[in-house]
Amino acid sequence: MPAHARSVSTVSGQGRSGEGRSAEDRPAAGRYTYRAKASRSEAPPHAAAKGERAKLAHALAAHRQLLSHASSAIRTLTAARNDMIAQALEDGLTLATVAAVTGENLRTVRTIGLAYDDLHASGVPRDAHVARLKAKSDELKAAGLHRDQIAERREALIVMALRTQICDDLELASLTGLTPDHIRRASRGIARPA
């Protein structure tokens, strides 16, 4: 092979292998790999904040619905118990007996009895009235305690949101269905980050 051909072949071979090396060693390829790893392992701070806000919004919406169901159950139980109070009074139970069994004061029991003016004696025995009133009153008390527990958990979520400043007062009012004044009262004494 002539010397001229040999030198061309060697130079072009180096050029090819040189190009191959520079493609592998290009900084852009290294940066691309690093970026891909970083995006998988670390979420940007604003994405984490959005995720926290979404979790909080979901939890507050769930508590709002639970409170709505609990309040509805209490209204239903109260109406049923008031019917029983009125019927028991119509059947001859005294105000004092009904008040003692239900835990209501005499004035409330009298007001409930007067609200029903179209009742007739049912013939149900005194002891049966007492047992039914006690059972319904206990059920109503348990429903009230359940609602209070849900409200306490919601208040804890509100305090957490105010401390971490995930939401402002108006957003929290919107998410909870409470007034902005309630949220401001809940925020008193809470240390917020500067």
Side-chain angles (χ1 to χ4, degrees), residues 11-27 29:
V11 170
S12 57
Q14 282 174 352
R16 271 190 233 109
S17 63
E19 283 171 13
R21 276 196 305 275
S22 66
E24 290 169 8
D25 296 336
R26 257 189 279 174

Side-chain angles (χ1 to χ4, degrees), residues 71-127:
S71 296
S72 176
I74 287 170
R75 283 192 298 274
T76 302
L77 288 167
T78 301
R81 191 217 44 190
N82 289 354
D83 291 346
M84 290 179 183
I85 288 173
Q87 190 61 59
L89 292 172
E90 186 64 32
D91 287 347
L93 262 69
T94 64
L95 290 171
T97 301
V98 173
V101 172
T102 60
E104 295 290 350
N105 61 46
L106 288 172
R107 184 176 178 184
T108 302
V109 172
R110 184 182 297 112
T111 302
I112 292 168
L114 291 173
Y116 293 77
D117 55 2
D118 57 347
L119 292 175
H120 304 286
S122 66
V124 174
R126 180 187 187 282
D127 291 345

